[in-house]
């Protein structure tokens, strides 16, 4: 039996193993560096309170991905849990699963996310409403409309993310809601980031789309196609995204696949004609071994993959570009608090009057926090005591080794709590306890040497039995469903004996493919 060695037990790696088991006679072996599945989509359990690292909505327009989700987890139907805990309506489903009795189910959640700016809330994505207009003020709204008209009349050549955003929103709206937040996330101005990022994450959303959406809703017009960023509902595992991937991992093992934990890939072995024969792995005890491979599916960072290859497999240019590929690292401060200082001034009913948001985008320039998650609103089952406590996640974008990353956990928790107190979100002495999670290379970045990434891709495609999948495997800011689609496409190419990898790299790049197969936003991270 031929063996496919899969690097990484995240969404792409687990999907690749599952597809191989279902559609081929190839035996999958997953090598996972950590002791958990799910990758960035894992769920961290801290004293009975579960953290979703980054916020992962299960929404897709890809039927194969949707079918896989439903085959692993059914949809909950009984609304009793929501009536009791949140006192708001919950749509029902046909298969009759009661989430109170079954731990492994999808819940249907409402997408409620807002921007916190000028000590008040604005809709996210930016939408037209009386509240938005009042918050911005008449003069600023006038400038926004005029600058948008100007952008429509004179389009910019889209070389940078700044060009991309101004073309779609106008300079004034871009400066109000996009420029400073993007700098906070990526550590640099949008004028220094490639336009590719916008084409993959923002897609068809524009100010014109926002206006059309507003008018359609007011006039009761049914929308034939809705942009992903305007989707209002999504599926969510009862105990967080990690629960789904734990269940998928269990199914992979039940079908005969292997998952080997705490196995770090440190080297690639093969023949001079660039054919991989095995992977050298290092265990936590320092010992090493070579795992034979007929095929390799890699979701490890491209930078690390290229460093592990024999020196003569990559041209000097490709190796130099790979060595300097940029990434952003990520930290989350999980704080269990007894209350928030914010009041719920919306029509959404919530427990104890907390704000209804799944996450809040923090635009205030005097703090470093980028986003705030309210885990109670993702699923009340994430919180040990949702009736009396609020479980929040403060998200920071940083670089490994910088001041934030190097801060001791207790100091970082204190710093994070202080930031929320400074902008009026958290009251003093509200924190009960907290936990810190650090994630390396969470976000492949679109600046620096990334502009020359095609030379790296060409070199990787020259390795005849290698398939690059997932977010880090392709150095692409994929959503969760896109990462799973890359795995499905890679298995299809292998099964059908297709050597050309073009379709694999096109997942989440072609507009038609996005609209018909994968425009869904599997996560917002």
């Amino acid at each position: 039996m031929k063996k496919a060695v899969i690097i990484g037990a995240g969404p792409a790696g687990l999907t690749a193993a599952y597809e191989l088991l279902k559609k081929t006679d190839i035996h999958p072996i997953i090598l996972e560096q950590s002791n958990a599945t799910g990758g960035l989509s894992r769920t961290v359990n801290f004293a009975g309170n579960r953290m979703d690292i980054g916020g992962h909505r299960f929404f897709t327009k890809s039927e194969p991905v949707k079918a896989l989700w439903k085959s692993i987890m059914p949809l909950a139907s009984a609304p009793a849990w929501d009536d009791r805990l949140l006192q708001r309506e919950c749509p029902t489903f046909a298969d009759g699963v009661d989430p109170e009795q079954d731990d492994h189910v999808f819940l249907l959640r409402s997408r409620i996310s807002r921007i916190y700016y000028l000590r008040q809330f604005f809709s996210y994505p930016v939408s037209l409403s009386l509240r938005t207009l009042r918050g911005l003020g008449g003069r600023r709204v006038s400038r926004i409309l005029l600058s948008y008209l100007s952008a429509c009349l004179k389009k910019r050549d889209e070389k940078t993310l700044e060009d991309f955003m101004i073309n779609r929103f106008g300079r004034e709206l871009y400066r109000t809601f996009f420029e400073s937040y993007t700098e906070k996330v990526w550590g640099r101005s949008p004028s220094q980031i490639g336009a590719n990022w916008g084409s993959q994450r923002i897609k068809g959303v524009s100010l014109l789309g926002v206006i059309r959406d507003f008018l359609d809703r007011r006039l009761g017009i049914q929308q034939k196609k809705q942009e992903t960023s305007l989707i209002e509902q999504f599926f969510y595992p009862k105990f967080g995204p990690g629960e789904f991937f734990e269940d998928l991992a269990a199914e992979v093992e039940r079908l005969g696949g292997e998952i080997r934990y705490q196995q770090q890939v440190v080297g690639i072995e093969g023949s001079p004609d660039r054919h991989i024969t095995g992977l050298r792995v290092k265990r936590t005890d320092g010992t090493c071994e070579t795992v034979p491979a007929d095929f390799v599916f890699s979701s490890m960072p491209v930078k690390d993959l290229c460093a592990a290859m024999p020196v003569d497999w990559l041209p000097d240019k490709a190796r130099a570009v790979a060595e300097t590929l940029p990434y952003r690292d990520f930290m989350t401060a999980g704080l269990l608090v007894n209350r928030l200082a914010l009041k719920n001034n919306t029509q959404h009913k919530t427990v104890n009057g907390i704000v209804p948001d799944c996450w809040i985008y923090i635009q205030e320039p005097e703090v470093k926090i980028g986003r705030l998650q309210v885990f109670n609103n993702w699923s009340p089952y994430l919180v040990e005591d949702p009736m009396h406590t609020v479980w929040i996640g403060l998200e920071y974008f940083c670089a490994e080794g910088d001041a934030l990353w190097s801060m001791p956990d207790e100091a970082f928790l204190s710093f994070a709590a202080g930031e929320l107190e400074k902008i009026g979100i958290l009251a003093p002495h509200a924190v009960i306890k907290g936990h810190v999670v650090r994630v390396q290379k969470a976000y492949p970045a679109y600046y620096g040497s990334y502009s020359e990434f095609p030379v790296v891709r060409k070199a990787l495609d020259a390795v005849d039995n290698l398939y690059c999948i997932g977010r880090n495997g392709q150095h692409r800011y994929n959503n969760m469903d896109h990462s799973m689609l890359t795995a499905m496409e890679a298995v299809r190419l292998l099964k059908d004996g297709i050597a050309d990898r073009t379709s694999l790299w096109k997942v989440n790049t072609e507009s038609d493919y996005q609209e018909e197969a994968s425009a869904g936003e599997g996560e917002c991270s």
Side-chain angles (χ1 to χ4, degrees), residues 48-61:
N49 299 287
R50 294 172 169 83
M51 299 173 64
D52 181 348
I53 309 301
H56 292 78
R57 287 172 292 153
F58 283 69
F59 173 82
T60 187
K61 291 183 180 178

Side-chain angles (χ1 to χ4, degrees), residues 129-391:
S129 67
L130 292 178
R131 185 180 181 87
T132 300
L133 297 176
R134 283 196 301 266
L136 290 174
R139 290 184 179 180
R140 185 177 277 131
V141 169
S142 298
R143 292 199 301 269
I144 286 173
L145 292 176
L146 288 174
S147 70
Y148 176 66
L149 290 175
S150 176
C152 290
L153 293 173
K154 187 178 181 180
K155 292 293 185 182
R156 299 164 67 108
D157 185 13
E158 292 185 0
K159 297 180 179 179
T160 69
L161 182 59
E162 180 176 84
D163 298 327
F164 181 94
M165 288 182 170
I166 290 176
N167 278 347
R168 284 155 183 78
F169 298 99
R171 180 176 292 277
E172 186 68 25
L173 189 59
Y174 158 71
R175 285 180 171 173
T176 301
F177 286 123
F178 296 99
E179 185 175 29
S180 62
Y181 182 78
T182 304
E183 289 182 4
K184 191 180 291 188
V185 173
W186 296 107
R188 60 188 58 210
S189 166
S191 64
Q192 298 175 297
I193 301 173
N196 311 58
W197 186 92
S199 64
Q200 289 179 215
R201 299 299 295 185
I202 301 174
K203 297 185 172 64
V205 179
S206 66
L207 183 56
L208 181 60
V210 171
I211 295 172
R212 285 175 176 169
D213 179 71
F214 172 79
L215 293 175
D216 286 348
R217 292 173 188 277
R218 294 300 179 273
L219 298 175
I221 299 174
Q222 185 175 3
Q223 298 165 318
K224 292 182 179 179
K225 190 189 84 171
Q226 191 174 20
E227 296 297 345
T228 300
S229 293
L230 303 178
I231 295 299
E232 294 184 346
Q233 291 184 321
F234 58 92
F235 298 135
Y236 194 76
K238 177 179 174 180
F239 290 116
E243 181 184 24
F244 171 82
F245 291 106
E246 289 164 11
D247 288 356
L248 181 57
E251 182 65 9
V252 165
E253 292 181 314
R254 188 189 71 79
L255 293 172
E258 296 180 52
I259 304 177
R260 303 179 185 179
Y261 296 97
Q262 297 182 319
Q263 306 277 310
Q264 180 185 6
V265 175
V266 295
I268 294 175
E269 298 177 356
S271 57
D273 60 348
R274 296 181 178 82
H275 179 88
I276 300 174
T277 57
L279 302 180
R280 291 197 306 278
V281 299
K282 182 179 180 181
R283 306 185 188 91
T284 53
D285 62 3
T287 61
C288 296
E289 71 165 323
T290 296
V291 180
D294 296 292
F295 311 98
V296 173
F297 292 74
S298 174
S299 67
M300 71 188 294
V302 170
K303 181 176 185 176
D304 299 335
L305 174 68
C306 291
M309 286 184 170
V311 175
D312 59 348
W313 277 25
L314 296 176
D316 291 343
K317 178 66 173 178
R319 186 171 292 280
V321 171
E323 287 176 352
T324 54
L325 281 175
Y327 298 84
R328 284 291 274 174
D329 303 299
F330 183 71
M331 295 177 68
T332 298
L335 297 179
L336 186 69
V337 303
N338 53 31
R339 66 191 181 281
L340 296 178
L342 299 173
K343 301 299 181 184
N344 180 15
N345 295 319
T346 72
Q347 296 178 344
H348 300 279
K349 295 180 180 179
T350 59
V351 172
N352 298 329
I354 67 172
V355 290
D357 307 76
C358 296
W359 60 73
I360 300 169
Y361 292 83
I362 309 297
Q363 298 277 24
E364 306 291 16
E366 67 265 39
V367 292
K368 295 182 179 297
I369 178 176
R371 291 183 310 203
L372 174 68
Q373 288 200 72
V374 184
F375 295 118
N376 301 55
N377 297 328
W378 285 93
S379 167
Y381 298 102
L382 295 179
V383 190
E384 185 178 39
D385 183 7
M387 301 298 293
H388 303 99
T389 59
V390 186
W391 178 225

